[in-house]
Amino acid sequence: MDELLRDLNPEQIEAVTHGAGPLLILAGPGTGKTRVVTRRVAHLVRSGADPRRLLAITFTNKAAGEMRERTAALDVPSGEITMATFHAFAARLLRVDGRAAGIDPSFSIVDEDDRSALLRAAVAELMGTGADAARKTAAEVSRRISFFKNAGKGAEDLEREDPFAGRVWREYEARLRAMNGVDFDDLLVLAEKAVSGGGPGDRRVDWRAAYDHVLVDEYQDVNALQYRIARALCARTRNLCVTGDPDQSIYRWRGADVENILSFERDFPDARVVRLVRNYRSTGAILRAADRLIANNVRRKEKTLTAMKGEGEPVRLLSSGDDRDEAESIGAAAAAEIASGRAPSDIAILVRTAAQTRLLEQSLAARGIAYALVGGARFWDRREVRDVIAYLRLVANPRDSVSFERIVNVPRRGIGEKTVEALRAHAARTGIPAPELARGRGPWPEGLARERAKLAPFARLIARLEASAAAGVAALVRAVIDETRYEAWLAESEGPSADERIENVRELVNDAAQFDREGEGRGLNEYLETRALAGDADSYDPAAPRATILTMHAAKGLEFPVVVVAGAEEGFLPHARSSDRIEEIEEERRLLFVAMTRAKDRLLLSWAERRAVAGTILPRVPSPFLREIGPVAEDGGGRRRDDPFSRPGEDLFFGREPAPSHYPAFSAGDLVRHSFYGPGTITAVRGSGPEAKVTVRFRDGAEKQLIVEFAKLVRVAAPG
DNA sequence: GTTTTTGCACTTTTT
DNA sequence: GTGCAAAAAC
């Protein structure tokens, strides 16, 4: 046909040209998925689809931006197409139609920090303890509530399983409602309500008929709630196109459900299914290693990727004595790559946890290698930035008590915990939010007569800020900084980091000014929204001349000529916090699969014999997954700080003496010790050898299903 | 009410 | 080694 189909393979053409009706594109890593989706969008528009009636859902804001650029390059009026993440789309929908879901459209988006503060307060109240005792409980309860919300379940469902968590949910919900706040999960919950039937009937837009085509990317990481939204949005036309790869599902913990792919074929039995398996990204050696790894997942549809590139160099293994040596060797490898003419931006170092980055950063910095960090301390999490943003949020939403409490005494204006506590109590009694009380709306609390004098200037300050908001977001940010004399306060309150903080605050002014310039009639709410929903990966700029250090999760969807996987050890892969349940082990395996398949030409897997974890030095063993990958070229030692890539290496089976080569046979009644859970008794055994599953009852009464291969159980003679 | 000091718990992964 | 929160001192 036209140039849209040039350089596409037959499966890709099938996906691009598919007309009406449901379409499922199963796309392995590096199979040209992004290209197919952008061409498909262009093809739809050229075939007469109205771009204003197209909706493309992506996993990150950055992916949405990229799709916009790439479709624009194909002469598509991409500005007219709605491209956003589920969360951003939901937020926009609720600004228009919040009332249909029972929410005031001037709501604040409550971020993860605010959320945990609210939950901690709710838990503390219900337990009658201090905030400290509430912390751990709150973190646990928070995860459960979030998981239930994303599964499309309500407080009553959680209450049946865990009455306390259910009560916390209701209390938390009440607090959110009082401040007109909406957390990340609520965005989806409420959007689903607004889109499908159920809520109040005064909808301004018929969402079920608003789009002719809906496209959803990274479908394997979509949760039940998101799936419901997508399905409702295309209720009329059924023109739903989803793309994903079950082997790259790495957000199960956030409620993502691979079963969605199965439900898709169930809900749309007439769906066309296209499989993309020709990999154009990685060398044969890299692909083979990744394939051997993922083949170990039992709950999986068989699928083998075909390498379209040559064999390339073997995947390499770097063994180091400790984490410092590892960082040094990796830094040396990066330096050698650059010395041989490679661009720094071609190099990525992938880690499992954000905490691993520090030594790697130091190593790169010591060699003068510029690097970017994706996922780590973010600009928007800086205290000074959050302070200024809190003022903005209070202006946008006068009921935002979380922001109010954050800045009522920042900079210091003599309003202490006692005053805030009194306001909070009065707010609970009267139902009028604390920030409104502080501004003299509603009856003044008794016994706070003296505090009134201190609060009055604050009330006037907020009123002045409200007035300046009309001149744009940047004007408001400047007003906040000037009126509160924020920079002066920073300068005197903080010693060494004061300059950096002032710099950050000024950067915020720039950011707001840029928003004002680019935004067309968009206001404060939209500014706060885009910034609240800005993700980790969104800041990544592939064109910047820098190496990249990033978490494996943040690496999803990206590719690099050279990839180093740092810390390929048991404890990271699988992570010590994940359980021995097969679902979780398999997700950890998929995570390493995603990491490996980011590499185009060179892949280095690295581990260290010792590593400082939370302050203590621990002995480490290689990730059990490395054994599954099998032969790779090994770079012995690692205490040598020359280039691991350039050394000759013969193909060796990993770990000349496979770590624990014999697995003890257990039987019921055996007394054992687990490295983490401690002593216990075997109550049941299924299977034999390394794959055998044993049930162990530990001293606290908890029973765990463990796989002998991973559990490192030791038989003991006597209990304890 | 504010500042400083001590103590402790912490490290998955993120929209 | 770190960052946050309660306790102690100003």
Side-chain angles (χ1 to χ4, degrees):
Chain A
M1 183 181 144
D2 50 336
E3 91 273 25
L4 281 184
L5 306 180
R6 203 170 29 97
D7 65 14
L8 294 184
N9 67 40
E11 306 89 77
Q12 292 175 325
I13 290 175
E14 187 185 356
V16 168
T17 56
H18 171 80
L23 172 64
L24 169 62
I25 303 173
L26 292 169
T31 53
K33 181 188 62 171
T34 310
R35 171 182 284 206
V36 165
V37 172
T38 52
R39 300 281 180 98
R40 176 166 171 78
V41 168
H43 184 263
L44 285 172
V45 173
R46 287 194 197 175
S47 315
D50 180 351
R52 284 162 306 179
R53 297 179 58 80
L54 292 187
L55 171 65
I57 301 283
T58 55
F59 194 70
T60 63
N61 296 296
K62 179 180 58 83
E66 254 163 39
M67 192 187 291
R68 196 173 296 287
E69 273 173 38
R70 292 183 59 163
T71 49
L74 298 172
D75 286 333
V76 170
S78 63
E80 296 177 19
I81 303 176
T82 308
M83 298 181 183
T85 64
F86 267 111
H87 287 86
F89 173 73
R92 256 179 258 165
L93 181 151
L94 292 171
R95 297 283 180 212
V96 174
D97 244 348
R99 287 186 210 290
I103 184 94
D104 180 336
S106 67
F107 61 86
S108 296
I109 295 175
V110 166
D111 67 25
E112 226 34 57
D113 269 23
D114 300 333
R115 175 189 156 89
S116 59
L118 279 168
L119 272 164
R120 217 175 303 148
V123 169
E125 185 173 302
L126 290 174
M127 295 202 318
T129 60
D132 196 42
R135 221 163 89 200
K136 251 187 105 167
T137 316
E140 178 58 33
V141 172
S142 169
R143 264 205 305 282
R144 300 206 73 182
I145 294 175
S146 181
F147 196 86
F148 268 68
K149 279 190 184 180
N150 283 295
K153 296 179 183 166
E156 52 308 332
D157 299 309
L158 178 54
E159 204 151 35
R160 265 195 296 279
E161 258 180 49
D162 182 347
F164 179 74
R167 273 166 58 215
V168 174
W169 186 340
R170 289 182 204 284
E171 177 62 30
Y172 167 68
E173 209 64 35
R175 284 166 192 251
L176 266 183
R177 197 78 30 82
M179 63 169 279
N180 194 19
V182 166
D183 68 19
F184 287 145
D185 303 331
D186 289 337
L187 287 171
L188 303 179
V189 172
L190 295 169
E192 200 264 342
K193 224 182 258 180
V195 166
S196 52
D202 57 348
R203 234 164 248 104
R204 289 170 54 189
V205 177
D206 178 6
W207 296 102
R208 302 168 79 96
Y211 299 102
D212 294 331
H213 286 273
V214 177
L215 295 93
V216 180
D217 200 7
E218 305 287 7
Y219 185 64
Q220 75 282 354
D221 286 320
V222 162
N223 64 41
L225 206 44
Q226 293 168 326
Y227 178 52
R228 277 194 219 168
I229 294 172
R231 209 175 38 182
L233 285 170
C234 58
R236 199 174 50 87
T237 63
R238 301 177 74 252
N239 290 334
L240 177 60
C241 166
V242 302
T243 63
D245 176 9
D247 288 337
Q248 292 181 71
S249 168
I250 53 175
Y251 285 92
R252 213 184 79 89
W253 51 275
R254 208 171 79 183
D257 192 354
V258 199
E259 301 297 313
N260 279 329
I261 295 202
L262 302 177
S263 9
F264 189 83
E265 294 189 75
R266 195 176 56 233
D267 291 351
F268 301 95
D270 56 330
R272 172 109 62 120
V273 181
V274 177
R275 291 183 173 77
L276 305 181
V277 292
R278 301 190 208 193
N279 178 299
Y280 299 93
R281 178 188 295 155
S282 307
T283 63
I286 291 168
L287 213 54
R288 190 151 25 83
D291 197 65
R292 268 198 301 247
L293 171 74
I294 202 66
N296 286 276
N297 272 7
V298 177
R299 294 159 40 116
R300 161 175 193 259
K301 278 189 186 174
E302 283 285 315
K303 175 182 72 202
T304 303
L305 295 165
T306 308
M308 303 303 280
K309 279 166 103 168
E311 169 67 11
E313 310 162 24
V315 174
R316 289 178 175 270
L317 179 73
L318 172 65
S319 307
S320 304
D322 61 32
D323 45 359
R324 286 190 76 93
D325 283 340
E326 181 194 38
E328 286 303 312
S329 296
I330 291 172
E337 290 289 317
I338 292 166
S340 71
R342 180 103 51 187
S345 58
D346 284 352
I347 303 166
I349 304 168
L350 271 53
V351 295
R352 177 64 220 275
T353 69
Q356 282 170 262
T357 62
R358 217 174 66 249
L359 286 175
L360 294 165
E361 287 182 66
Q362 284 167 7
S363 173
L364 292 186
R367 290 174 172 78
I369 301 171
Y371 65 90
L373 198 60
V374 183
R378 294 189 357 252
F379 178 76
W380 300 101
D381 292 334
R382 307 295 294 259
R383 200 189 318 161
E384 60 277 15
V385 174
R386 289 179 63 90
D387 282 348
V388 177
I389 291 286
Y391 277 97
L392 267 52
R393 277 175 46 171
L394 193 54
V395 169
N397 171 16
R399 286 189 272 161
D400 190 335
S401 47
V402 168
S403 295
F404 167 75
E405 290 193 18
R406 180 179 188 96
I407 45 85
V408 66
N409 201 28
V410 176
R412 296 266 129 78
R413 44 178 80 91
I415 301 166
E417 188 52 36
K418 232 180 59 193
T419 309
V420 173
E421 182 50 50
L423 279 172
R424 218 184 277 143
H426 195 62
R429 270 197 307 278
T430 60
I432 300 167
E436 306 222 293
L437 288 173
R439 300 186 59 187
R441 301 184 182 158
W444 193 259
E446 294 161 40
L448 275 189
R450 250 177 303 137
E451 284 73 11
R452 189 166 202 163
K454 285 178 184 164
L455 282 167
F458 175 75
R460 285 197 298 275
L461 165 69
I462 300 298
R464 282 200 302 280
L465 294 179
E466 278 174 350
S468 61
V473 182
L476 175 57
V477 175
R478 263 188 227 105
V480 170
I481 295 166
D482 295 344
E483 297 263 1
T484 62
R485 306 192 340 105
Y486 193 80
E487 289 193 5
W489 183 71
L490 279 182
E492 71 194 45
S493 60
E494 299 295 329
S497 57
D499 287 349
E500 197 187 330
R501 285 159 175 253
I502 289 173
E503 225 15 76
N504 285 333
V505 167
R506 290 184 182 160
E507 182 53 38
L508 189 56
V509 178
N510 288 338
D511 180 71
Q514 194 189 341
F515 175 85
D516 284 339
R517 274 197 305 278
E518 290 174 2
E520 296 138 28
R522 300 188 301 167
L524 179 58
N525 264 326
E526 285 71 16
Y527 178 74
L528 291 171
E529 187 174 298
T530 56
R531 272 53 185 173
L533 296 176
D536 260 348
D538 296 335
S539 60
Y540 170 67
D541 173 12
R546 299 161 180 280
T548 312
I549 303 175
L550 71 177
T551 62
M552 297 180 185
H553 283 87
K556 186 165 83 150
L558 304 178
E559 59 177 24
F560 303 89
V562 179
V563 168
V564 180
V565 174
E569 295 146 25
E570 188 162 343
F572 282 147
L573 291 163
H575 196 277
R577 285 281 290 253
S578 72
S579 77
D580 292 339
R581 291 181 43 205
I582 185 135
E583 293 90 344
E584 296 195 29
I585 295 289
E586 296 206 333
E587 173 139 324
E588 298 287 313
R589 197 179 274 117
R590 288 193 294 268
L591 187 55
L592 180 56
F593 176 76
V594 168
M596 292 171 72
T597 52
R598 299 310 95 196
K600 295 165 92 164
D601 301 325
R602 291 187 151 183
L603 174 60
L604 177 64
L605 304 169
S606 162
W607 75 285
E609 289 169 38
R610 284 176 306 282
R611 179 180 301 277
V613 179
T616 39
I617 293 169
L618 297 176
R620 307 285 278 184
V621 297
S623 164
F625 299 147
L626 295 188
R627 211 177 310 130
E628 300 171 354
I629 293 169
V632 297
E634 185 168 15
D635 296 293
R639 289 161 199 84
R640 295 164 50 195
R641 293 180 184 171
D642 48 0
D643 173 19
F645 277 122
S646 66
R647 252 178 280 149
E650 70 276 42
D651 271 7
L652 299 169
F653 265 95
F654 165 72
R656 266 154 282 188
E657 28 188 303
S661 56
H662 56 283
Y663 295 94
F666 294 106
S667 51
D670 284 353
L671 300 168
V672 294
R673 171 181 288 280
H674 185 274
S675 58
F676 182 73
Y677 299 111
T681 313
I682 304 243
T683 56
V685 182
R686 293 220 326 268
S688 63
E691 280 95 40
K693 274 199 211 160
V694 296
T695 308
V696 187
R697 185 167 55 242
F698 291 101
R699 225 198 292 186
D700 59 0
E703 289 214 337
K704 300 249 179 249
Q705 292 263 343
L706 305 172
I707 296 167
V708 170
E709 181 180 9
F710 297 133
K712 283 183 303 188
L713 288 172
V714 182
R715 206 196 307 268
V716 294

